[in-house]
């Protein structure tokens, strides 16, 4: 994977919330929910509190925080860049953003043909 093209990025607001959550909870990790209890939302956990399987895909890092997605879901999203943002509201039931008055939100854009060729 090219270092110049990230599969997952974060807005300044998301990076700010990640920093606040890291200050409070220590090392973190993300897993892109596939639509069960909390819909399709990026879930933030203390590092190691969510079991990653051999079939999960590590998309990259957000300010040093690893971001994962299940392989079946990745098959649908592999042509898109995920952009993690923050909006007002309640976070996912098990996500650390719950109770902060803010929640992480996944936005996306399609990669160009040139970007896909580099990935």
């Amino acid at each position: 994977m090219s270092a110049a093209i990230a599969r997952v990025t974060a807005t300044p607001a998301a990076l700010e919330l990640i920093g606040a959550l890291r200050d409070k909870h220590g090392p973190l990790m993300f897993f892109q929910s596939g639509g069960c209890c909390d819909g399709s939302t990026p879930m933030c956990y203390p590092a190691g509190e969510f079991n990653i399987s051999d079939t999960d895909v590590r998309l990259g890092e957000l300010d040093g925080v690893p971001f994962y997605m299940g392989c079946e879901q990745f098959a649908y999203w592999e042509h898109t860049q995920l952009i993690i943002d923050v909006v007002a509201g309640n976070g996912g039931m098990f996500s650390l953003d719950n109770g902060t008055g803010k929640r992480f939100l996944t936005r996306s854009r399609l990669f160009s043909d040139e970007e896909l060729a580099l990935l």
Side-chain angles (χ1 to χ4, degrees):
M1 177 168 30
S2 171
I5 300 170
R7 287 197 174 272
V8 61
T9 65
T11 64
L15 292 173
E16 183 178 328
L17 183 54
I18 289 168
L21 292 173
R22 182 176 27 233
D23 288 348
K24 184 175 182 178
H25 300 282
L28 306 172
M29 64 175 290
F30 275 94
F31 192 88
Q32 177 66 44
S33 175
C36 178
C37 303
D38 290 305
S40 296
T41 187
M43 304 290 284
C44 183
Y45 301 100
E49 292 242 345
F50 184 89
N51 290 328
I52 300 300
S53 78
D54 291 340
T55 62
D56 291 328
V57 179
R58 184 176 176 145
L59 298 181
E61 294 184 356
L62 304 175
D63 194 24
V65 177
F67 194 103
Y68 299 89
M69 172 185 283
C71 68
E72 290 97 9
Q73 190 173 12
F74 179 71
Y76 291 107
W77 290 61
E78 68 182 323
H79 299 95
T80 63
Q81 181 180 58
L82 302 185
I83 304 153
I84 306 307
D85 200 359
V86 170
V87 295
N90 291 321
M93 178 185 258
F94 303 107
S95 185
L96 293 175
D97 54 335
N98 193 11
T100 65
K102 300 175 184 178
R103 68 180 185 90
F104 291 110
L105 174 76
T106 301
R107 302 182 191 281
S108 65
R109 73 168 185 87
L110 289 174
F111 286 121
S112 69
D113 290 340
E114 294 80 19
E115 289 171 321
L116 281 172
L118 293 172
L119 288 171

